[in-house]
C-alpha cells in the first residue's frame, strides 16, 4: 500500500532565517505565511519546521523550555494555527521538530529536578561524582565533556549536547507519558508528523564508562539500544498510527542494517530516517576535518542505502550541514550546472526528498570574515576545544569556513535588495553578500534558473511514477559518473550524472526527458556537471 508521504516533497524551514515580518531581524511565523505562495509554486507538499517552541535559544530552539508554547520571537499560537490552516489550503502539511532527547535547562521539569526530593529528580540523569570526579568518561557531541556540576546539590547531570541541554531519563516511564501528551497536543492541532531529533540515542542502557574513542566516548551505551526500539514502537502504536502521522528520525552513526531495523514497516517504529554516511564522504573521521570530495565514495554510500531500504528520506542539506554545492559541486564556473545536478540526484533517488531552504536557488556557504560573525554554540565550543588542543588559529578558521553549521543558517536570499528582502531591520546573523547574484526574485523570472529547474523536476516526478515508485537499479558508479535506472510497470527511466568539470564519453544514447543543459537528444558526450534523465 502506498503512503501519502511517498509522493510528498518536503521543504525544511529554519524559521530564524527564512522571512522576518516585523523588522526585528528574526524570521517568524507570519513571515513564513507570507511566503506560502512561493512554496506552493515550487510544488512542495510539506514543510518541516525546525523548532519554534519556547526556548532560551542556546542551540536555536533545539533547547526547548516549553513544548506547548511558541517562542515570542516567532509569534503566537494564533499565528501557528493560521500557518497550519493556510498551508493546508494550499495542500501543504506541517511537520514539527520533536526534540525529546533533552530539554532546555530552563524547562520547569529541569528547574524542579534540581531539588533532590522533587518528583522531577528522575526526569534527568542526576549522579553523584566519584571521589570528586565526573560520574563517567563520556564525551559530548559538541566537543566538551558531558557532565555539568550543580553546586547546590553537589551532583552532576548528563548532557550529550550543550550543558544547557540536559538529557531526559527514559528509564522513568513518566517521561515518556509526558512526551506522548505533547505529541497529541500538536497532532490534535492538525500537524502531519514529526522529525525526531537524534532519536536513536534517547535510551541509555547504563551510565558505565565507555571505551576510549576519538569522538563520543560512551556511545556503545546509548546508540540504537533495544530500549529505544521499544519506545518507538509504543509511540507508533499508541499515538502516531491513529493520526496517520509521518515520522523521520534523525539517527546518528547508523548503518543500513540499523536503518532497516528502524524503518521496516513490519517493525512499526519509524517511517524514514536521516542517516549521515553520505555527509561523511568529504570528511576525515569527524565532520570538522574536511578532505577532498570523492564522487565515487558518495555514489557507493547512496547505492548501498538505496538497495538496503524499501523507502527512506533523501537529503543533501539541512541546518547542520554546509551547503551542498560547496561540498559536492562547483561554486564558480559550474555553480548553476552543478546545483542542478545535485537537484537531479535529490529528486530522482528512491525515497522522500527533503529540500533545505535556499537549496532551490543554489545558496552557498557563508562569506564571513571573522569568528565574531558566527552564532552557533557548536562552532564556539569546537573553536575553544581546538584552542586547548593547540590547533593553530588559521586551521581553526579553515574548519569553521568549511564545516560550521552557520554556513546553512544565513538568511534566505529573496531579492537583491538590502538584506535580501529577509528583514527591514538588522538580521540576527549576517547575510551572504552574494545575494546580489543569488536570489529568489531573479530566478523566479528566469526559465533557466536553478529554481525553475527544481520546479520542472518536481513536476516531472509527479508525472512519472517511475521516479517515485520505481525500483532503484544501479547501472554504473565510475569515478565521476553515476548512472541508475528507475523502473515501474511499463516505464524505465535512466538517470546519468556527471560529477566532474570534465566531459565524459559514454556508450549510451537516446532521447532526453530532462537535462540541465536543456538538450533533447543524448549523443553520448556528457558535458561538465551534466545531469540527464533518459526516456
Ligand atoms: O543534530 C544532531 C547531530 O548529531 C548533529 O548533526 C549535530 O548537529 C552536530 O552537527 C554534531 O556535530 C540535532 C539537530 O539537528 C541540531 O541542530 C541540534 O543542535 C542537535 O540535534 C541537538 O538537539
Ligand atoms: Ca521577526
Amino acid at each position: 500500500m502506498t503512503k501519502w508521504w511517498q509522493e510528498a516533497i518536503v521543504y525544511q524551514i529554519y524559521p530564524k532565517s527564512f522571512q522576518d515580518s516585523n523588522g526585528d531581524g528574526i524570521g517568524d511565523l507570519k513571515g513564513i505565511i507570507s511566503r506560502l505562495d512561493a512554496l506552493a509554486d515550487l510544488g512542495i507538499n510539506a514543510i518541516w519546521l525546525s523548532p519554534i517552541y519556547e526556548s532560551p535559544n542556546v542551540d536555536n530552539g533545539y533547547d526547548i523550555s516549553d513544548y506547548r508554547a511558541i517562542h515570542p520571537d516567532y509569534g503566537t499560537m494564533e499565528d501557528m494555527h493560521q500557518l497550519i490552516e493556510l498551508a493546508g489550503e494550499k495542500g501543504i502539511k506541517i511537520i514539527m521538530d520533536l526534540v525529546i532527547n533533552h530539554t532546555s535547562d530552563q524547562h520547569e521539569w529541569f528547574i524542579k529536578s534540581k531539588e533532590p526530593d522533587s518528583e522531577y529528580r528522575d526526569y534527568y540523569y542526576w549522579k553523584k561524582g566519584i571521589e570528586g570526579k565526573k560520574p563517567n568518561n563520556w564525551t559530548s557531541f559538541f566537543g566538551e565533556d558531558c557532565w555539568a556540576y550543580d553546586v547546590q546539590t553537589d551532583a552532576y547531570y548528563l548532557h550529550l549536547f550543550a550543558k544547557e541541554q540536559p538529557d531526559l531519563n527514559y528509564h522513568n516511564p513518566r517521561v515518556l507519558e509526558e512526551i506522548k501528551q505533547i505529541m497529541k497536543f500538536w497532532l490534535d492541532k492538525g500537524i502531519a508528523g514529526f522529525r525526531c531529533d537524534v532519536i536513536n540515542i534517547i535510551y541509555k542502557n547504563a551510565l558505565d564508562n565507555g571505551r576510549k574513542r576519538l569522538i563520543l566516548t560512551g556511545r556503545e551505551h546509548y546508540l540504537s539500544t533495544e530500549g529505544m526500539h521499544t519506545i518507538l514502537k509504543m509511540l507508533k502504536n499508541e499515538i502516531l498510527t491513529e493520526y496517520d502521522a509521518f515520522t523521520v528520525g534523525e539517527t546518528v552513526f547508523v548503518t543500513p542494517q540499523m536503518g532497516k531495523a528502524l524503518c521496516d514497516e513490519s517493525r512499526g517504529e519509524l517511517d524514514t530516517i536521516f542517516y549521515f554516511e553520505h555527509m561523511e564522504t568529504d570528511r576525515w573521521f569527524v565532520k570538522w576535518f574536511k578532505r577532498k570530495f570523492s564522487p565515487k565514495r558518495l555514489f557507493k554510500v547512496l547505492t548501498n542505502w538505496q538497495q538496503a531500504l524499501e523507502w527512506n528520506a533523501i537529503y543533501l542539506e539541512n541546518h547542520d550541514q554546509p551547503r551542498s554545492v560547496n561540498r559536492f559541486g562547483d561554486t564558480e564556473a559550474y555553480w548553476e550546472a552543478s546545483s542542478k545536478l545535485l537537484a537531479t540526484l535529490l529528486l530522482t533517488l528512491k525515497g522522500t526528498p527533503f529540500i533545505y531552504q535556499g537549496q532551490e536557488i543554489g545558496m552557498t556557504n557563508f562569506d564571513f570574515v571573522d569568528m565574531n560573525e558566527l552564532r552557533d554554540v557548536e562552532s564556539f565550543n569546537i573553536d575553544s576545544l581546538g584552542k586547548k588542543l593547540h590547533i593553530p588559529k588559521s586551521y581553526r578558521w579553515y574548519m569553521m569556513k568549511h564545516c560550521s553549521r552557520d554556513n546553512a543558517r544565513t538568511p534566505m536570499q529573496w531579492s537583491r535588495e538590502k538584506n535580501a528582502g529577509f528583514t527591514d531591520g538588522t538580521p540576527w546573523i549576517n547575510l551572504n553578500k552574494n545575494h546580489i547574484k543569488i536570489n529568489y526574485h531573479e530566478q523566479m523570472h528566469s526559465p533557466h534558473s536553478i529554481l525553475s529547474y527544481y520546479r520542472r523536476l518536481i513536476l516531472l516526478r509527479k508525472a512519472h511514477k517511475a521516479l517515485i515508485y520505481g525500483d532503484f537499479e544501479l547501472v554504473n558508479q565510475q569515478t565521476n559518473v553515476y548512472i541508475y535506472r528507475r523502473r515501474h510497470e511499463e516505464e524505465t527511466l535512466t538517470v546519468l550524472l556527471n560529477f566532474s568539470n570534465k566531459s565524459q564519453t559514454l556508450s549510451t544514447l537516446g532521447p532526453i526527458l530532462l537535462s540541465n543543459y536543456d538538450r533533447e537528444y543524448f549523443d553520448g558526450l556528457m558535458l561538465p556537471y551534466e545531469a540527464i534523465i533518459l526516456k
Side-chain angles (χ1 to χ4, degrees):
M1 209 180 67
T2 62
K3 306 280 190 334
W4 66 265
W5 40 264
Q6 291 185 294
E7 296 193 13
I9 289 156
V10 187
Y11 186 91
Q12 182 192 353
I13 290 184
Y14 196 64
K16 205 167 179 173
S17 295
F18 191 62
Q19 178 68 61
D20 179 22
S21 73
N22 62 353
D24 65 0
I26 300 173
D28 46 51
L29 293 172
K30 282 206 164 75
I32 298 174
I33 291 172
S34 74
R35 294 294 185 182
L36 282 174
D37 283 333
L39 297 176
D41 178 59
L42 177 59
I44 58 118
N45 314 92
I47 293 170
W48 152 27
L49 261 192
S50 274
I52 38 97
Y53 312 96
E54 188 67 75
S55 160
N57 276 335
V58 170
D59 188 16
N60 282 356
Y62 284 90
D63 47 326
I64 299 172
S65 54
D66 185 347
Y67 289 89
R68 291 181 175 81
I70 303 291
H71 193 298
D73 281 354
Y74 296 131
T76 62
M77 192 57 90
E78 198 36 52
D79 296 336
M80 188 62 200
H81 291 158
Q82 274 230 323
L83 174 62
I84 296 171
E85 193 184 314
L86 296 174
E89 284 171 13
K90 296 184 194 300
I92 297 174
K93 297 177 195 284
I94 306 288
I95 294 165
M96 298 279 277
D97 217 310
L98 187 71
V99 187
I100 59 170
N101 176 67
H102 44 267
T103 67
S104 158
D105 63 348
Q106 299 306 307
H107 195 291
E108 69 163 329
W109 302 337
F110 187 73
I111 293 172
K112 289 182 175 158
S113 84
K114 289 187 173 185
E115 287 300 326
D117 302 329
S118 153
E119 51 171 332
Y120 290 94
R121 188 69 169 179
D122 288 338
Y123 273 45
Y124 299 87
Y125 291 104
W126 282 102
K127 287 276 166 243
K128 287 280 175 202
I130 305 164
E131 292 163 12
K133 289 217 306 266
K134 317 214 159 181
N136 68 28
N137 66 351
W138 296 7
T139 54
S140 90
F141 282 74
F142 286 169
E144 34 182 24
D145 73 66
C146 59
W147 290 98
Y149 181 66
D150 181 62
V151 196
Q152 224 177 316
T153 56
D154 179 32
Y156 294 87
Y157 64 85
L158 176 73
H159 63 90
L160 287 180
F161 291 88
K163 64 178 187 311
E164 295 85 356
Q165 294 168 298
D167 280 50
L168 284 165
N169 172 10
Y170 284 91
H171 290 261
N172 177 356
R174 282 185 56 199
V175 173
L176 193 61
E177 275 319 303
E178 300 265 16
I179 300 300
K180 286 184 200 162
Q181 296 316 313
I182 291 165
M183 291 169 74
K184 278 177 95 70
F185 174 86
W186 287 103
L187 289 164
D188 285 334
K189 290 187 183 297
I191 66 147
F194 297 102
R195 175 268 188 187
C196 313
D197 194 61
V198 289
I199 199 70
N200 67 326
I201 66 169
I202 60 172
Y203 190 88
K204 285 79 179 168
N205 274 341
L207 299 179
D208 300 339
N209 277 330
R211 188 159 72 70
K212 270 239 180 297
R213 297 173 196 264
L214 191 57
I215 42 163
L216 288 180
T217 295
R219 66 182 191 245
E220 63 271 31
H221 297 301
Y222 57 77
L223 266 187
S224 299
T225 57
E226 265 320 300
M228 180 268 312
H229 285 293
T230 309
I231 291 173
L232 289 179
K233 286 195 174 83
M234 283 161 70
L235 294 179
K236 178 109 175 181
N237 253 325
E238 296 170 37
I239 314 282
L240 295 160
T241 303
E242 183 192 330
Y243 295 87
D244 194 20
F246 166 72
T247 52
V248 52
E250 187 207 25
T251 48
V252 292
F253 294 97
V254 282
T255 59
Q257 217 53 39
M258 293 173 179
K260 266 177 87 68
L262 288 158
C263 304
D264 260 4
E265 205 181 339
S266 61
R267 297 187 40 117
E269 297 189 14
L270 293 168
D271 294 321
T272 59
I273 59 164
F274 291 134
Y275 62 85
F276 285 88
E277 253 189 279
H278 61 313
M279 293 286 119
E280 290 155 14
T281 53
D282 62 344
R283 295 291 184 262
W284 291 112
F285 317 112
V286 288
K287 63 173 257 191
W288 292 96
F289 297 111
K290 194 184 127 56
R291 71 165 149 172
K292 194 171 179 311
F293 166 56
S294 141
K296 196 171 176 175
R297 266 198 302 271
L298 177 70
F299 306 157
K300 273 190 163 162
V301 171
L302 292 173
T303 299
N304 212 1
W305 279 88
Q306 286 282 298
Q307 290 170 343
L309 268 64
E310 282 301 311
W311 195 267
N312 200 11
I314 310 291
Y315 77 97
L316 296 173
E317 288 187 22
N318 63 39
H319 65 292
D320 293 333
Q321 300 291 336
R323 292 289 183 178
S324 59
V325 61
N326 288 77
R327 304 176 70 174
F328 312 129
D330 176 340
T331 54
E332 304 296 328
Y334 296 105
W335 164 70
E336 211 165 76
S338 65
S339 296
K340 292 176 182 173
L341 170 92
L342 292 167
T344 318
L345 176 70
L346 180 71
L347 287 149
T348 60
L349 285 172
K350 182 183 64 178
T352 303
F354 282 70
I355 300 170
Y356 178 66
Q357 68 184 42
Q359 187 177 357
E360 77 278 27
I361 55 170
M363 274 178 64
T364 62
N365 280 351
F366 68 42
D367 54 358
F368 299 150
V369 291
D370 192 276
M371 199 62 201
N372 66 28
E373 286 184 286
L374 299 193
R375 296 288 176 272
D376 183 17
V377 58
E378 185 195 42
S379 294
F380 294 121
N381 285 351
I382 293 295
D383 189 57
S384 41
L385 179 68
K387 224 183 258 175
K388 263 189 238 156
L389 298 173
H390 304 291
I391 297 180
K393 192 167 175 202
S394 57
Y395 191 78
R396 294 199 318 265
W397 183 241
Y398 175 84
M399 284 162 61
M400 293 302 145
K401 271 208 109 48
H402 293 285
C403 313
S404 168
R405 304 192 295 183
D406 282 336
N407 279 308
R409 298 179 179 184
T410 59
M412 176 68 186
Q413 295 167 197
W414 293 104
S415 71
R416 54 175 301 132
E417 260 109 75
K418 181 153 184 270
N419 293 332
F422 163 69
T423 181
D424 295 334
T426 310
W428 70 278
I429 188 170
N430 283 345
L431 284 126
N432 195 315
K433 292 184 268 303
N434 68 16
H435 67 267
I436 309 274
K437 175 182 158 216
I438 304 178
N439 65 69
Y440 178 86
H441 191 78
E442 218 114 303
Q443 295 194 27
M444 185 182 74
H445 297 295
S446 152
H448 300 293
S449 64
I450 299 167
L451 180 65
S452 299
Y453 187 78
Y454 265 91
R455 242 189 244 127
R456 278 163 67 196
L457 263 171
I458 291 172
L459 285 175
L460 205 68
R461 209 179 140 93
K462 298 197 163 151
H464 295 268
K465 289 282 176 285
L467 289 176
I468 301 173
Y469 297 113
D471 297 334
F472 171 92
E473 187 192 310
L474 176 69
V475 178
N476 207 332
Q477 46 191 13
Q478 312 172 164
T479 314
N480 291 316
V481 180
Y482 195 24
I483 307 176
Y484 48 85
R485 285 201 190 100
R486 303 293 313 280
R487 195 193 303 271
H488 179 66
E489 293 172 355
E490 299 301 286
E491 191 175 32
T492 302
L493 299 175
T494 309
V495 182
L496 306 119
L497 306 167
N498 177 12
F499 273 72
S500 88
N501 57 10
K502 310 229 160 28
S503 300
Q504 312 276 344
T505 315
L506 304 178
S507 52
T508 328
L509 304 170
I512 288 175
L513 188 61
L514 184 74
S515 125
N516 60 349
Y517 281 82
D518 291 311
R519 299 206 281 167
E520 278 164 17
Y521 188 83
F522 183 53
D523 52 9
L525 185 74
M526 279 200 99
L527 302 172
Y529 290 105
E530 188 164 29
I532 287 174
I533 305 177
L534 286 181
K535 288 190 245 209

